[in-house]
Amino acid sequence: MAALDLFGRRWALRILWELREGPLGARALLARCEGLSSSVLYQRLRELVSSGIIAPSADGYELTPLGTSLRDALRPLDAWASTWAQAQEHDDQRPTEA
């Protein structure tokens, strides 16, 4: 359950999501995550580095092999979330009865 504690922290999953396609520096992460403060970003980066999920690189931060396997493990959840979002959109377009 320690993993769920880590991933449940503000911005942790979003940071991992942004790193899914390759390394990013702190400024790029801040630009992609509107509302994320630099202090929270650096705290999450420290936590994710110490957990072995990301690592510093010449280009910023990147997923480690463990982080890449996490990305792959979350893929079914991402697919479910897309289906759920489409269902919500469909429900929002349904006329309401008075």
Side-chain angles (χ1 to χ4, degrees):
M1 292 311 217
L4 292 178
D5 178 51
L6 175 62
F7 303 140
R9 294 178 187 162
R10 282 183 308 159
W11 297 102
L13 284 175
R14 177 64 186 271
I15 292 166
L16 294 172
W17 176 256
E18 294 300 337
L19 294 174
R20 75 192 182 285
E21 293 181 8
L24 290 171
R27 284 184 188 222
L29 285 166
L30 283 170
R32 291 179 180 212
C33 300
E34 186 177 330
L36 172 60
S37 70
S38 60
S39 62
V40 171
L41 172 63
Y42 287 110
Q43 178 64 35
R44 293 300 165 265
L45 290 173
R46 281 191 297 273
E47 293 166 352
L48 293 167
V49 167
S50 71
S51 68
I53 296 170
I54 66 171
S57 73
D59 297 319
Y61 293 88
E62 63 186 354
L63 295 174
T64 62
L66 186 60
T68 300
S69 70
L70 171 64
R71 180 193 64 199
D72 296 341
L74 290 174
R75 214 171 255 139
L77 179 59
D78 183 44
W80 178 88
S82 294
T83 301
W84 175 76
Q86 289 173 356
Q88 295 299 307
E89 186 175 296
H90 177 71
D91 288 347
D92 289 345
Q93 293 174 0
R94 188 175 295 158
T96 57
E97 296 180 26

